[in-house]
Structure formats: C-alpha cells, structure tokens
Amino acid sequence: MSRKITKISKNIIFSLAIPAVTYVFFRVLCEATGHPGFGVGSDLQTIIYTSVYSGLIALAMFLNLTSGRLDFSIGSTLVLATILGGNIAKELRCSGIVFLLITLAIGALIGLVSGLVYVILGLPPMVVSLGLAMIYEAIGFIFNKAKGVKLIGKSDLLIYARAPENIILIIIVLAILVFLMEYTRFGYNRNALVSGQKIAVDVGINEKKNAVLCYVLAGAMLGIAGCVYLSKYGMMTPETGLSSSSYFMSAFLPIFIAGAIGRYSSAPIAVFIGAVTQAFLTSGFARMGMSNSAQAIVNNIIVLAFLIYSSNSYIFLEQRMFKEKLEAAKAARMKRQAK
Amino acid sequence: MKKKLIAMLVCIGLVASLFAGCKSSSDGGQSGNTEPTKGASQDAAEPTDEAQGETPAIALDGTWPEEHVKIAVECFDTTDEGFLALQSYLDYLTDYYNISFIYSESIASAEDELSFIDSSAAAGCKALIAYYNVTKEEAVKACIENGMYYWSADAGLAEAFKDNEYYLGGYSFLKAGDDSSHNGDYLGGYQMGYSLANQGAKHILYCNGGVSLGIQMFIDRQQGFFDGVAAAQAEGSTAVFDQKADVIGGWPGTDAFAAAQTAALDKDYDAIGVSFSAAVWFQPIATVGKTGQIKLATIGGVTDTFYDAFQTGQMACAVYDCEEVVFGNSIVTILNAVTGNIDIARDNGVPAAIYVNRWTVADADSFTAIYNYHDEGKYFVTAEDMTQCFPAFNPEASYQTVYDLYSALDLETALAKIK
C-alpha cells in the first residue's frame, strides 16, 4: 500500500515539476526585473485560456501524431468547425452549451470525413491531410461569403474564454479522454498500435477502425478549441492557401513535454501539463516585454531541447539497465568467489 | 450492342460539337462567314460625314470594349475585407464593361506571385492589378515579358519603369508636387496616430502586427503612427505614448498575442491604434469590462465589422481606402491602355500617379452614411461616371479627366454626394 502511495506521489511530483519550476522561475524573474503581475489576476486568466486552447489543439494532434499520422488539416478543421458551428449557433440563437455541442459535433463530423478518406484512399496521412486542409479551407472561405463568423458582443454564447467555465470544460474533456485511453478497448487498441503497429494488427486489432475513431476524437477536440477561441476574440476569419497550418504550431511543445513526462501520468494529462508550461512561458515573456521574434527563438530552442531529450531518453534507461546488470554480475561473481 | 450504341452517341456528340460554333446564314454571316460583304466593310471603315466628329452612341451594357478584356488581380489575403470590397466593386463593373477578372489566391511568396503572373498571361489576361507585390521589380518584369500591363500602388517602382509603356503607374496619396517620400502605408499609420492623439487620448497603445517579422507594410505603418502621434503632441496633445513600452506585436491565434493583449488591457490605455483589423480587440475589451473606455483606430474598410463599434463609440477612427476611388481608377487606366489610348493611361508618357484621398472616418454618422450607401449597391464612382474617361464615350477624355474625377473625391465630397 505504502509502495503504491509512494509511486503515486512520485508520479504527481514528476508530472508537475516542469510547470511548477517554470512558474516559479518566471514569477521570480518578473518580480526581479520590475514586471509584476505574472501569474495573478487577469494574467492568470490568460494563462488558463492559453492552456485550454493550446491544450485542446495539442490533444487533437497527439491522438494521431503518436500513431505516425501527422495531420496537416488540424487548423482547417478548427476553422471550418468554428465558422459553421458559430454561424449555426448565431442563427438558432442558442445557449453557450448548445453552441459548444454543435461545434463539437461538426468538428467530429469533419474528423470522421478525414478518417474515412485516410483509410479508404490508403495514401500517406500527410498527403491526405494536405489535400483535405485545402478543401476545408475552401469550404470555410465560400461559406458566408468569406466573412467567417462574428459573434462579437454575444456574451451568452462566448463563455469559454474565462474561468471557471474553461476550467470545467477542460476537466470534463480530460476525464473523458483519460477514460477512453485507459479504460476502454479503443484505448488499449490504440496504445497497442502506438507501441507496435504490425504486432497489434497481427493479433487482430482493427487498425482502420481505430484510426477513424482517433480522427473523430481529434475533430471534436478542435471543435471545442474553436469555441474557446471564438469566446476570446468573438470572430474568426477563413484561412486560405494552407495558412491554417499555423494553428498547430503551438501544439508541438506540449506534445514534446508530454513525451518527457508521459511515464508519470496519463497521456492526455501529460499533454495538458505541457500546454500549461507553454502558457507560463509565453505569459512570462509577454510580461517582460520580449518581442515576438525573440519569443519564437526561445520557444523553438525549448522545443528542440525537449525533442532531443525525448528522442534520447532511452539512453538513460539503457545506462541504468546496464548499471543494474553490471552490479548484479559483480554481486554474482563475488558470491561465486566467496564459495 | 450496348457499346455500339454508346459509341454512336459519342460520335453524334462530337459531330454536333463541330458545328456548335456555326450560326445560320440569317445572322448576316458574322461568325460563320469569314468574308464580310463589301457594303458592310465600307460601313465599318468609312463613317459618314454626319457621324464624323460626333461620339458614337455606345451602350454601357457590357459590350464595350469590343474585344473582351481579362484582368488579373493579385492580393495578399483573399479574406481581407478591403479586398472583398474591391472584388465586389469589380464584379459590379463587369455588368457594364466587357471585362472579367482572375483573382489570385493569397500570395505568400515570390514563387506564388510569379507563377500567378505567368498563369494569368496564359489565361489571356491583358493587365495585372497589383493589390499586393512581393517581388517588386521582378513582378513588373514578368508582366512586361508576358505583354501584360501592370497597374500598381507602389510608387517606388515608377522610376525604374517610367519609359516602359506596360508599366501604367497607379494611384498616389500625394498630390503632384508634394515633397514626400512616404508611401500609403506610412500615411495611413500617420493618420491613425494623429487622429487618436488629437481626439483627447491620454495613454495610447499601438498594435503593430508583423513588424517583428520584417513585413514592410507594417514597418511603414508603425513609423507613420509614431510620427502622427508626435505631430499631434507637438500641436499640444497631452497623449502619452512610448515607442517601446506602448507597442505590442503579432496576431490573434498565437499564445504570445493573447498574453500580450491581456497584459496591455491590464494597463490604463484609453486608445489603441491597430495596424490590421481592430475587430480582434472588441471582444477582449468587452471581456475585461472596458467597453466604451478604450477608443480604437484602424486601417480598414467601412464594413459591418465596425458598424456596431462606431455606433457604440468604441471606434475613434477608421482610415479607409474607398475601393472605387483608390483602386477603381485602375480599370480606367487599363481599359484606356488596351484600347489604344495609352496617352490617357499615362501622364505625358510617364506612369500615372493619380492623386486619391484616403478618408479618415472619425464619427459614427459619416461611417453610417458611407456604409448605407454601399449597402444599397451604390458607388461613389459609378460605371457611368467612368465613361467620361474613355474617348469612345467622350472624345475630350484625357489623363487630366481621369485625374480630376478621382482626386476630387474626398470624404466631404463623398458625404455631400450621399445627401
């Protein structure tokens, strides 16, 4: 029992270490450099908003990326679901919750189309998603005469950019995802496919069905992310010429952080912790008045550092394993010599 | 049997398509017969004495110019409201003139631009309207190589191509003789900054968009904004503005912008100048409960995005490039060039620089009046107004006619026209 408690405590500490250190670092730095206000008041609201918004995009990307499917249509799915969902909600004059459900459903539907096209065509996911991104962008552009969606001032709909609504939202989303990943056949199958696709398929797992479900879930996440975005800015314009691909750039750091702390927590929670860390970084930089280009440089260095760590973390594991084996061999030899 | 039937139907279809271009002899042999009658050719070549010196009555029904003119339009963002408004105006003109347009996708690179020019030339375009230009001189050279006229807003290119008749020039925000090297973006930024500081703002923030990415348009606007605020301060404005501390960059959709925006809204700013659409500030301002406390200024169109904001007093100023005034003169210039009236298209052999007014709309009444006028499908320069610039309709037409038509339309004249 105590071993289990120790393990859980260790997992919590290691999972929260990176965001905690980042928060403390920026809090001290901002105070020391005469830039108060980091992580409190409205800045905390922005950190929560950024964590939820980027976290949802990162979760959508994570669902497919870990199975080797880099989805270029993430941004266009988000934009299209938001434009369609927002305009429908505006026409129907519905509540914030119905608005969320409509956008979520449209996102999931777009995800279903993406998944079906991927499994039916059997082309590399990057090729398929590039083509679909262009189609989704074009639909978003044609719809509503290229005006996108404008809900400025509709406070009854735009409730997901502020706490506690966005906190409740992300808790529900994470709870559903953790349940799906850890306690359902879909989750087991997905994990098996991520670990070893060929073996998983050989033992009878339906890879195509699993892939389609991943796309549907990702689409739903993007629909929710669109609601959060719309709640913040009140409007969204269509994207063309693959410019929607910029939307998923903020998803990489959370995913790489999740790669580093993934063994201490469930994958969706790890991704969200990564998004929180990223939100601390951007908010800290903004408080200190760092320019966008300088922020981009630092952010990408951090992404690179996590990528290097994630790609080489097996070396530490190997070294520990070799050390344990060496010690065991030495102990065995000592034992033999003693005899 | 089935295959034979299909083959027969395909053959019938092919044969029918061969005769599709032919018309019956009752149409006077205009299309089928390539040898016109003697009488008809004389009628066309030798006008009667009565007709000489008089303007032929040409209907404004989309049949002039005689030869269809295709025009390519290059833009940086197909979703930009200003571009959509221009597109709407150009589409309106297609009902009256024998013209059509090919619009680019959002041009993101030099490669995109040059490829668009080549493909437009291949599609038969006679001219290019450069609503955007990435490669500067290279784009003009590509047009010249393809035998296309080039109309541009970039005054900096005029010197390099002043002797080439394919380079038509464009509009200018400076009157002839004005001593300034500043371009339209600088002047737009200047008007924004001057207007905000002059309207009693106490603490101003500037949202500079893509300055840190090195995008020239934003750099020029920022410099103009700085100078505009400084000019207003020199005239007695007490507005506080620090060129480093009171500036934020980037666009919505990035975490960095969201963080910077929140940090800015925490401070005591009561005026914000935005180098792109100010609409991205409406909801965040409302969320922090500062609606009505912060005035916004922007470079943007008179569109429904800003309609409510003007009514509620959120908008202090919109620097507006009226599409039919600022860009509409491109059609006059291009049609004169392609119909052989290059002397009207260019100013005494040098590229055109038609002075146009940029309207600084600073009150809700003016905004509403312009908005409603456009909403009713009316334009400040109509297709009929434009006919005075074409010798086919007005034998007295000259470069000065074009210049006078467009340069006269300032905000006051436009508002008077509405009344």
Side-chain angles (χ1 to χ4, degrees):
Chain A
M1 185 66 184
S2 66
R3 203 172 164 185
K4 199 176 178 183
I5 291 170
T6 311
K7 195 186 171 191
I8 291 170
S9 306
K10 187 185 161 191
N11 284 349
I12 291 171
I13 290 167
F14 275 95
S15 296
L16 297 179
I18 294 175
V21 168
T22 311
Y23 178 82
V24 171
F25 173 77
F26 276 106
R27 191 73 205 264
V28 172
L29 194 66
C30 287
E31 293 293 335
T33 54
H35 299 96
F38 170 78
V40 290
S42 61
D43 192 55
L44 184 61
Q45 286 275 3
T46 304
I47 289 170
I48 296 168
Y49 159 78
T50 310
S51 306
V52 172
Y53 172 68
S54 297
L56 286 163
I57 297 175
L59 284 167
M61 194 165 184
F62 174 82
L63 282 164
N64 284 311
L65 190 67
T66 44
S67 299
R69 297 186 293 268
L70 178 57
D71 187 0
F72 268 99
S73 67
I74 276 181
S76 57
T77 303
L78 187 152
V79 172
L80 182 58
T82 312
I83 289 174
L84 296 178
N87 279 301
I88 292 169
K90 192 177 171 184
E91 286 299 313
L92 297 177
R93 296 179 183 182
C94 53
S95 66
I97 291 172
V98 178
F99 162 52
L100 178 77
L101 292 175
I102 290 171
T103 314
L104 183 153
I106 293 171
L109 190 67
I110 298 168
L112 177 67
V113 172
S114 300
L116 288 175
V117 170
Y118 165 65
V119 297
I120 290 167
L121 293 183
L123 292 169
M126 198 189 283
V127 176
V128 174
S129 62
L130 270 174
L132 287 170
M134 286 191 268
I135 292 168
Y136 296 157
E137 281 185 351
I139 297 170
F141 181 71
I142 293 164
F143 187 80
N144 200 18
K145 294 177 183 170
K147 287 181 180 171
V149 56
K150 288 186 184 74
L151 299 175
I152 293 163
K154 299 198 180 302
S155 308
D156 50 336
L157 283 181
L158 309 178
I159 56 173
Y160 301 104
R162 56 177 188 247
E165 286 86 347
N166 51 13
I167 296 174
I168 296 167
L169 181 69
I170 197 68
I171 288 172
I172 294 170
V173 167
L174 287 175
I176 293 170
L177 278 181
V178 169
F179 174 75
L180 285 173
M181 296 283 180
E182 309 288 341
Y183 303 102
T184 63
R185 179 188 278 191
F186 159 74
Y188 289 133
N189 288 350
R190 187 188 164 279
N191 290 338
L193 287 161
V194 168
S195 307
Q197 196 171 338
K198 193 178 181 310
I199 299 166
V201 172
D202 287 347
V203 297
I205 291 173
N206 187 338
E207 184 219 359
K208 289 179 179 176
K209 187 180 162 190
N210 198 272
V212 172
L213 281 172
C214 283
Y215 274 104
V216 171
L217 267 179
M221 296 295 113
L222 294 168
I224 302 170
C227 280
V228 174
Y229 178 94
L230 212 49
S231 298
K232 174 80 177 168
Y233 294 108
M235 59 179 286
M236 181 175 268
T237 50
E239 301 282 345
T240 54
L242 286 178
S243 58
S244 63
S245 57
S246 63
Y247 277 80
F248 65 71
M249 296 313 286
S250 63
F252 286 108
L253 185 57
I255 290 174
F256 292 137
I257 292 175
I261 60 171
R263 80 184 88 142
Y264 305 111
S265 64
S266 177
I269 292 172
V271 172
F272 183 67
I273 288 171
V276 173
T277 309
Q278 181 173 257
F280 285 148
L281 281 171
T282 48
S283 212
F285 290 145
R287 278 281 145 192
M288 293 197 300
M290 196 183 266
S291 72
N292 276 17
S293 40
Q295 281 190 46
I297 292 168
V298 177
N299 264 333
N300 288 321
I301 289 171
I302 296 168
V303 169
L304 197 63
F306 272 103
L307 184 61
I308 291 167
Y309 174 76
S310 303
S311 309
N312 296 290
S313 58
Y314 73 95
I315 294 171
F316 300 111
L317 206 70
E318 270 183 358
Q319 279 178 346
R320 201 171 69 187
M321 202 171 70
F322 289 144
K323 204 175 164 185
E324 280 171 5
K325 276 188 177 176
L326 189 67
E327 278 169 7
K330 277 180 183 172
R333 193 166 65 182
M334 294 271 279
K335 212 173 175 182
R336 275 203 306 273
Q337 282 172 349
K339 280 181 185 174
Chain B
M1 185 62 194
K2 207 174 179 180
K3 281 181 185 174
K4 281 180 183 174
L5 191 68
I6 292 168
M8 198 172 76
L9 286 170
V10 170
C11 285
I12 291 168
L14 285 171
V15 172
S17 69
L18 281 173
F19 290 98
C22 303
K23 289 185 180 176
S24 68
S25 56
S26 62
D27 66 1
Q30 282 174 355
S31 50
N33 187 355
T34 53
E35 215 173 299
T37 60
K38 197 181 174 187
S41 99
Q42 275 177 340
D43 285 347
E46 294 168 21
T48 60
D49 290 343
E50 291 90 36
Q52 275 178 343
E54 281 180 17
T55 311
I58 300 170
L60 198 60
D61 58 359
T63 54
W64 187 87
E66 211 167 305
E67 193 184 335
H68 183 75
V69 180
K70 265 190 196 174
I71 300 169
V73 187
E74 179 192 345
C75 73
F76 65 96
D77 181 4
T78 49
T79 66
D80 174 65
E81 288 192 325
F83 177 71
L84 291 170
L86 172 65
Q87 204 171 356
S88 173
Y89 179 64
L90 297 180
D91 289 346
Y92 149 81
L93 292 179
T94 57
D95 291 339
Y96 299 91
Y97 295 97
N98 190 12
I99 53 176
S100 61
F101 298 93
I102 292 177
Y103 300 99
S104 74
E105 291 295 316
S106 301
I107 297 290
S109 65
E111 195 185 354
D112 284 355
E113 181 173 84
L114 297 174
S115 156
F116 174 67
I117 291 171
D118 286 342
S119 58
S120 302
C125 287
K126 296 277 192 293
L128 175 93
I129 296 173
Y131 191 74
Y132 186 50
N133 182 330
V134 183
T135 58
K136 305 290 176 191
E137 293 185 6
E138 292 307 312
V140 186
K141 283 178 190 166
C143 280
I144 293 168
E145 280 167 18
N146 283 302
M148 283 165 71
Y149 289 101
Y150 185 94
W151 184 93
S152 162
D154 199 333
L157 296 170
E159 190 54 36
F161 297 98
K162 64 182 178 188
D163 297 326
N164 194 309
E165 71 171 37
Y166 280 105
Y167 183 78
L168 297 174
Y171 67 80
S172 169
F173 288 118
L174 299 168
K175 282 181 188 161
D178 277 356
D179 183 23
S180 174
S181 57
H182 298 308
N183 62 17
D185 287 312
Y186 172 90
L187 296 170
Y190 184 95
Q191 278 170 294
M192 243 195 326
Y194 184 83
S195 184
L196 271 185
N198 226 13
Q199 285 186 37
K202 288 175 188 152
H203 194 180
I204 302 174
L205 173 78
Y206 184 61
C207 188
N208 75 15
V211 169
S212 65
L213 299 174
I215 300 172
Q216 196 58 41
M217 176 178 86
F218 290 111
I219 294 169
D220 293 340
R221 285 179 182 181
Q222 175 167 277
Q223 192 53 52
F225 189 86
F226 289 174
D227 293 350
V229 173
Q233 284 169 332
E235 288 174 15
S237 165
T238 55
V240 175
F241 178 67
D242 184 309
Q243 294 184 2
K244 281 190 177 169
D246 297 328
V247 175
I248 64 167
W251 289 278
T254 61
D255 295 348
F257 183 80
Q261 195 178 42
T262 308
L265 289 174
D266 266 357
K267 296 179 184 168
D268 63 345
Y269 295 114
D270 62 346
I272 303 174
V274 191
S275 60
F276 49 99
S277 176
V280 300
W281 284 87
F282 295 155
Q283 192 60 34
I285 287 172
T287 305
V288 297
K290 288 190 173 177
T291 303
Q293 296 170 35
I294 299 174
K295 296 263 185 188
L296 292 160
T298 190
I299 296 179
V302 175
T303 59
D304 48 9
T305 302
F306 301 118
Y307 187 87
D308 292 336
F310 259 102
Q311 308 307 317
T312 55
Q314 256 189 297
M315 287 295 299
C317 145
V319 178
Y320 173 41
D321 294 342
C322 180
E323 49 276 12
E324 60 263 40
V325 178
V326 178
F327 304 104
N329 61 72
S330 61
I331 304 305
V332 172
T333 307
I334 289 168
L335 286 185
N336 271 322
V338 298
T339 53
N341 298 302
I342 194 73
D343 53 321
I344 300 175
R346 284 161 64 95
D347 180 14
N348 286 323
V350 297
I354 297 162
Y355 170 68
V356 289
N357 287 279
R358 175 174 252 163
W359 303 349
T360 305
V361 186
D363 63 281
D365 290 343
S366 304
F367 186 94
T368 310
I370 298 167
Y371 178 88
N372 289 341
Y373 195 69
H374 278 162
D375 201 40
E376 288 163 15
K378 295 174 184 166
Y379 290 101
F380 296 101
V381 181
T382 63
E384 202 171 330
D385 292 337
M386 288 163 71
T387 56
Q388 63 184 282
C389 303
F390 302 122
F393 295 85
N394 171 23
E396 306 297 318
S398 66
Y399 175 78
Q400 197 58 40
T401 317
V402 182
Y403 192 95
D404 291 345
L405 172 66
Y406 287 96
S407 62
L409 273 162
D410 58 12
L411 182 60
E412 280 177 20
T413 317
L415 292 173
K417 204 170 185 176
I418 295 170
K419 286 166 188 167

PDB file of all heavy atoms in Angstrom, chain A residues 195-212:
ATOM      1  N   SER A 195       2.483   1.266 -29.800  1.00  0.00           N
ATOM      2  CA  SER A 195       3.696   0.532 -29.385  1.00  0.00           C
ATOM      3  C   SER A 195       4.269  -0.309 -30.521  1.00  0.00           C
ATOM      4  O   SER A 195       5.481  -0.385 -30.689  1.00  0.00           O
ATOM      5  CB  SER A 195       3.378  -0.385 -28.199  1.00  0.00           C
ATOM      6  OG  SER A 195       2.771   0.359 -27.191  1.00  0.00           O
ATOM      7  N   GLY A 196       3.420  -0.952 -31.269  1.00  0.00           N
ATOM      8  CA  GLY A 196       3.914  -1.808 -32.348  1.00  0.00           C
ATOM      9  C   GLY A 196       2.778  -2.141 -33.294  1.00  0.00           C
ATOM     10  O   GLY A 196       1.968  -3.040 -33.028  1.00  0.00           O
ATOM     11  N   GLN A 197       2.725  -1.399 -34.380  1.00  0.00           N
ATOM     12  CA  GLN A 197       1.565  -1.497 -35.263  1.00  0.00           C
ATOM     13  C   GLN A 197       1.402  -2.887 -35.868  1.00  0.00           C
ATOM     14  O   GLN A 197       0.314  -3.454 -35.893  1.00  0.00           O
ATOM     15  CB  GLN A 197       1.678  -0.446 -36.359  1.00  0.00           C
ATOM     16  CG  GLN A 197       0.379  -0.210 -37.082  1.00  0.00           C
ATOM     17  CD  GLN A 197       0.461   0.981 -38.005  1.00  0.00           C
ATOM     18  OE1 GLN A 197       1.307   1.846 -37.832  1.00  0.00           O
ATOM     19  NE2 GLN A 197      -0.405   1.025 -38.988  1.00  0.00           N
ATOM     20  N   LYS A 198       2.546  -3.450 -36.326  1.00  0.00           N
ATOM     21  CA  LYS A 198       2.452  -4.725 -37.044  1.00  0.00           C
ATOM     22  C   LYS A 198       1.960  -5.845 -36.114  1.00  0.00           C
ATOM     23  O   LYS A 198       1.051  -6.602 -36.472  1.00  0.00           O
ATOM     24  CB  LYS A 198       3.809  -5.102 -37.646  1.00  0.00           C
ATOM     25  CG  LYS A 198       3.681  -6.239 -38.644  1.00  0.00           C
ATOM     26  CD  LYS A 198       4.977  -6.597 -39.282  1.00  0.00           C
ATOM     27  CE  LYS A 198       4.773  -7.735 -40.297  1.00  0.00           C
ATOM     28  NZ  LYS A 198       4.031  -8.860 -39.781  1.00  0.00           N
ATOM     29  N   ILE A 199       2.562  -5.873 -34.932  1.00  0.00           N
ATOM     30  CA  ILE A 199       2.169  -6.916 -33.980  1.00  0.00           C
ATOM     31  C   ILE A 199       0.697  -6.760 -33.620  1.00  0.00           C
ATOM     32  O   ILE A 199      -0.066  -7.733 -33.575  1.00  0.00           O
ATOM     33  CB  ILE A 199       3.054  -6.853 -32.710  1.00  0.00           C
ATOM     34  CG1 ILE A 199       4.516  -7.095 -33.091  1.00  0.00           C
ATOM     35  CG2 ILE A 199       2.606  -7.874 -31.664  1.00  0.00           C
ATOM     36  CD1 ILE A 199       5.512  -6.746 -32.020  1.00  0.00           C
ATOM     37  N   ALA A 200       0.311  -5.484 -33.363  1.00  0.00           N
ATOM     38  CA  ALA A 200      -1.088  -5.219 -32.975  1.00  0.00           C
ATOM     39  C   ALA A 200      -2.061  -5.669 -34.062  1.00  0.00           C
ATOM     40  O   ALA A 200      -3.092  -6.288 -33.777  1.00  0.00           O
ATOM     41  CB  ALA A 200      -1.266  -3.735 -32.690  1.00  0.00           C
ATOM     42  N   VAL A 201      -1.725  -5.379 -35.309  1.00  0.00           N
ATOM     43  CA  VAL A 201      -2.606  -5.772 -36.422  1.00  0.00           C
ATOM     44  C   VAL A 201      -2.621  -7.296 -36.550  1.00  0.00           C
ATOM     45  O   VAL A 201      -3.677  -7.896 -36.767  1.00  0.00           O
ATOM     46  CB  VAL A 201      -2.145  -5.093 -37.740  1.00  0.00           C
ATOM     47  CG1 VAL A 201      -2.913  -5.648 -38.940  1.00  0.00           C
ATOM     48  CG2 VAL A 201      -2.360  -3.584 -37.652  1.00  0.00           C
ATOM     49  N   ASP A 202      -1.435  -7.907 -36.379  1.00  0.00           N
ATOM     50  CA  ASP A 202      -1.334  -9.372 -36.486  1.00  0.00           C
ATOM     51  C   ASP A 202      -2.183 -10.091 -35.437  1.00  0.00           C
ATOM     52  O   ASP A 202      -2.686 -11.184 -35.676  1.00  0.00           O
ATOM     53  CB  ASP A 202       0.132  -9.810 -36.367  1.00  0.00           C
ATOM     54  CG  ASP A 202       0.900  -9.466 -37.635  1.00  0.00           C
ATOM     55  OD1 ASP A 202       0.243  -9.139 -38.654  1.00  0.00           O
ATOM     56  OD2 ASP A 202       2.149  -9.500 -37.613  1.00  0.00           O
ATOM     57  N   VAL A 203      -2.315  -9.455 -34.255  1.00  0.00           N
ATOM     58  CA  VAL A 203      -3.122 -10.120 -33.218  1.00  0.00           C
ATOM     59  C   VAL A 203      -4.614  -9.807 -33.347  1.00  0.00           C
ATOM     60  O   VAL A 203      -5.405 -10.171 -32.492  1.00  0.00           O
ATOM     61  CB  VAL A 203      -2.629  -9.792 -31.778  1.00  0.00           C
ATOM     62  CG1 VAL A 203      -1.225 -10.290 -31.544  1.00  0.00           C
ATOM     63  CG2 VAL A 203      -2.749  -8.307 -31.482  1.00  0.00           C
ATOM     64  N   GLY A 204      -4.961  -9.054 -34.394  1.00  0.00           N
ATOM     65  CA  GLY A 204      -6.385  -8.882 -34.695  1.00  0.00           C
ATOM     66  C   GLY A 204      -6.978  -7.526 -34.395  1.00  0.00           C
ATOM     67  O   GLY A 204      -8.199  -7.355 -34.454  1.00  0.00           O
ATOM     68  N   ILE A 205      -6.142  -6.563 -34.053  1.00  0.00           N
ATOM     69  CA  ILE A 205      -6.702  -5.219 -33.802  1.00  0.00           C
ATOM     70  C   ILE A 205      -7.035  -4.552 -35.134  1.00  0.00           C
ATOM     71  O   ILE A 205      -6.223  -4.571 -36.064  1.00  0.00           O
ATOM     72  CB  ILE A 205      -5.702  -4.361 -32.982  1.00  0.00           C
ATOM     73  CG1 ILE A 205      -5.587  -4.921 -31.560  1.00  0.00           C
ATOM     74  CG2 ILE A 205      -6.128  -2.897 -32.943  1.00  0.00           C
ATOM     75  CD1 ILE A 205      -4.521  -4.293 -30.708  1.00  0.00           C
ATOM     76  N   ASN A 206      -8.229  -3.965 -35.191  1.00  0.00           N
ATOM     77  CA  ASN A 206      -8.669  -3.308 -36.426  1.00  0.00           C
ATOM     78  C   ASN A 206      -8.067  -1.897 -36.471  1.00  0.00           C
ATOM     79  O   ASN A 206      -8.576  -0.958 -35.847  1.00  0.00           O
ATOM     80  CB  ASN A 206     -10.200  -3.244 -36.464  1.00  0.00           C
ATOM     81  CG  ASN A 206     -10.711  -2.738 -37.802  1.00  0.00           C
ATOM     82  OD1 ASN A 206      -9.979  -2.074 -38.539  1.00  0.00           O
ATOM     83  ND2 ASN A 206     -11.950  -3.066 -38.113  1.00  0.00           N
ATOM     84  N   GLU A 207      -6.971  -1.785 -37.208  1.00  0.00           N
ATOM     85  CA  GLU A 207      -6.227  -0.525 -37.246  1.00  0.00           C
ATOM     86  C   GLU A 207      -7.056   0.610 -37.859  1.00  0.00           C
ATOM     87  O   GLU A 207      -7.034   1.743 -37.385  1.00  0.00           O
ATOM     88  CB  GLU A 207      -4.940  -0.735 -38.045  1.00  0.00           C
ATOM     89  CG  GLU A 207      -4.055   0.467 -38.070  1.00  0.00           C
ATOM     90  CD  GLU A 207      -3.400   0.685 -39.405  1.00  0.00           C
ATOM     91  OE1 GLU A 207      -3.626  -0.123 -40.321  1.00  0.00           O
ATOM     92  OE2 GLU A 207      -2.681   1.677 -39.543  1.00  0.00           O
ATOM     93  N   LYS A 208      -7.790   0.270 -38.929  1.00  0.00           N
ATOM     94  CA  LYS A 208      -8.552   1.305 -39.638  1.00  0.00           C
ATOM     95  C   LYS A 208      -9.650   1.905 -38.759  1.00  0.00           C
ATOM     96  O   LYS A 208      -9.834   3.127 -38.720  1.00  0.00           O
ATOM     97  CB  LYS A 208      -9.158   0.722 -40.920  1.00  0.00           C
ATOM     98  CG  LYS A 208      -8.098   0.454 -41.975  1.00  0.00           C
ATOM     99  CD  LYS A 208      -8.693  -0.133 -43.222  1.00  0.00           C
ATOM    100  CE  LYS A 208      -7.606  -0.358 -44.269  1.00  0.00           C
ATOM    101  NZ  LYS A 208      -8.110  -1.017 -45.463  1.00  0.00           N
ATOM    102  N   LYS A 209     -10.352   1.032 -38.057  1.00  0.00           N
ATOM    103  CA  LYS A 209     -11.427   1.495 -37.177  1.00  0.00           C
ATOM    104  C   LYS A 209     -10.857   2.402 -36.086  1.00  0.00           C
ATOM    105  O   LYS A 209     -11.418   3.467 -35.776  1.00  0.00           O
ATOM    106  CB  LYS A 209     -12.109   0.273 -36.541  1.00  0.00           C
ATOM    107  CG  LYS A 209     -13.345   0.600 -35.745  1.00  0.00           C
ATOM    108  CD  LYS A 209     -13.917  -0.698 -35.181  1.00  0.00           C
ATOM    109  CE  LYS A 209     -14.866  -0.432 -34.033  1.00  0.00           C
ATOM    110  NZ  LYS A 209     -15.228  -1.662 -33.341  1.00  0.00           N
ATOM    111  N   ASN A 210      -9.711   1.977 -35.555  1.00  0.00           N
ATOM    112  CA  ASN A 210      -9.072   2.760 -34.511  1.00  0.00           C
ATOM    113  C   ASN A 210      -8.627   4.134 -35.034  1.00  0.00           C
ATOM    114  O   ASN A 210      -8.796   5.159 -34.357  1.00  0.00           O
ATOM    115  CB  ASN A 210      -7.863   1.992 -33.957  1.00  0.00           C
ATOM    116  CG  ASN A 210      -7.423   2.534 -32.619  1.00  0.00           C
ATOM    117  OD1 ASN A 210      -6.620   3.450 -32.563  1.00  0.00           O
ATOM    118  ND2 ASN A 210      -7.983   1.985 -31.546  1.00  0.00           N
ATOM    119  N   ALA A 211      -8.091   4.134 -36.251  1.00  0.00           N
ATOM    120  CA  ALA A 211      -7.634   5.405 -36.852  1.00  0.00           C
ATOM    121  C   ALA A 211      -8.807   6.353 -37.058  1.00  0.00           C
ATOM    122  O   ALA A 211      -8.711   7.550 -36.746  1.00  0.00           O
ATOM    123  CB  ALA A 211      -6.928   5.125 -38.174  1.00  0.00           C
ATOM    124  N   VAL A 212      -9.909   5.841 -37.572  1.00  0.00           N
ATOM    125  CA  VAL A 212     -11.090   6.689 -37.813  1.00  0.00           C
ATOM    126  C   VAL A 212     -11.585   7.291 -36.488  1.00  0.00           C
ATOM    127  O   VAL A 212     -11.894   8.486 -36.405  1.00  0.00           O
ATOM    128  CB  VAL A 212     -12.218   5.892 -38.511  1.00  0.00           C
ATOM    129  CG1 VAL A 212     -13.505   6.705 -38.578  1.00  0.00           C
ATOM    130  CG2 VAL A 212     -11.797   5.489 -39.908  1.00  0.00           C
TER     131      VAL A 212
END
